[in-house]
Amino acid sequence: MTDNHGNRSASSSSSLNSSSHDTEDDHTIAAILAEDERLRHDGKLGKRLSHLDSIPHTPRVIGDIPDPNDATLDHERLAERLTTYGLAEMQMEGDGNCQFRAISDQLFQSPDYHKYVRKEVVKQLKRHKRLYESYVPMKYKHYLKKMKRLGEWGDHVTLQAAADRFEAKICLVTSFRDTCYIEILPKDKSPLRELWLSFWSEVHYNSLYQAGEVPTRTQRKKHWLF
């Protein structure tokens, strides 16, 4: 009985700590969002790629993971493109949350608010089912349940939902052989900000900056070392 009581106490303490941390996160996020000018991109990255044509974006779920040889070639192609356009990656942790971490880094100057980003994206998907359901090849409620889970990989449907929720143009520099650059625009709204991400096809997302201007972030776990 003593052990069970101790477990309950530890669990209660853990829940309180988690709740307190979430509240602190909410306050920080609210403060950042209140300073809207800090969220508006100055267009420097956009000017570098303004001559590129973006293909129409079609939301889709994750495709087949490439085999190691193809993945290596894809990564080399992406690295060459980033070098060509004077861009550099802020490496995100490879824990399944990389898309949400990269969006968080672009929005809030920190990848640590990825839980908030995921929560808001799932809310968007749930509230506006008609916008996204046709792109999901499974029962929609199962898709929503899956996307709520930490560590579940984001896809191009969640990217569209993020663009809609945060009124952002998401600029994606990709490793695709025939598609260097994709713009994901919010539906029926003018974007208020630009978010720059790299996409190593079906493997990983990172946050993009001008070469030489990648901020220093404290990383608490291992990340992709590619």
Side-chain angles (χ1 to χ4, degrees), residues 62 95-97 100 118 146-154:
I62 294 173
D95 61 353
N97 300 304
F100 303 99
R118 183 185 289 273
K146 183 176 75 163
M147 280 303 165
K148 285 181 182 178
R149 295 196 296 260
L150 285 179
E152 187 64 42
W153 291 14

Side-chain angles (χ1 to χ4, degrees), residues 92-95 97 101 218-224:
M92 298 293 108
E93 293 175 20
D95 61 353
N97 300 304
R101 288 183 182 278
T218 300
Q219 296 189 345
R220 295 175 294 185
K221 297 180 182 179
K222 65 181 181 180
H223 55 72
W224 291 100

Side-chain angles (χ1 to χ4, degrees), residues 36-46 106 192-196 208-210:
D36 194 57
E37 286 305 312
R38 291 182 62 190
L39 299 176
R40 295 179 186 273
H41 202 280
D42 60 12
K44 291 179 181 177
L45 294 185
Q106 289 283 303
L192 299 180
R193 54 189 64 89
E194 290 182 2
L195 312 182
W196 282 82
L208 285 181
Y209 293 86
Q210 290 190 92

Side-chain angles (χ1 to χ4, degrees), residues 63-172:
D64 294 332
I65 305 301
D67 66 44
N69 289 335
D70 287 343
T72 298
L73 290 174
D74 285 348
H75 188 265
E76 290 173 355
R77 185 183 304 114
L78 176 60
E80 289 173 0
R81 286 173 177 170
L82 296 177
T83 298
T84 297
Y85 297 115
L87 303 173
E89 293 173 307
M90 161 75 71
Q91 297 285 344
M92 298 293 108
E93 293 175 20
D95 61 353
N97 300 304
C98 60
Q99 182 189 109
F100 303 99
R101 288 183 182 278
I103 292 171
S104 172
D105 185 69
Q106 289 283 303
L107 281 172
F108 309 121
Q109 298 83 53
S110 170
D112 293 340
Y113 303 113
H114 63 94
K115 292 181 183 178
Y116 171 82
V117 173
R118 183 185 289 273
K119 180 177 70 175
E120 292 300 306
V121 165
V122 171
K123 282 183 184 177
Q124 176 73 21
L125 290 166
K126 187 174 182 179
R127 290 171 179 168
H128 303 280
K129 175 180 176 180
R130 62 180 180 79
L131 294 178
Y132 313 106
E133 185 178 23
S134 63
Y135 301 111
V136 177
M138 65 180 73
K139 287 188 176 180
Y140 198 69
K141 65 179 182 179
H142 293 167
Y143 177 75
L144 291 177
K145 184 177 180 180
K146 183 176 75 163
M147 280 303 165
K148 285 181 182 178
R149 295 196 296 260
L150 285 179
E152 187 64 42
W153 291 14
D155 54 32
H156 283 247
V157 181
T158 56
L159 279 178
Q160 183 63 61
D164 295 337
R165 166 60 185 86
F166 297 108
E167 298 182 52
K169 178 168 75 171
I170 299 179
C171 305
L172 206 61

Side-chain angles (χ1 to χ4, degrees), residues 164-165 167 185-191:
D164 295 337
R165 166 60 185 86
E167 298 182 52
L185 297 168
K187 295 180 182 294
D188 304 322
K189 292 180 181 178
S190 297

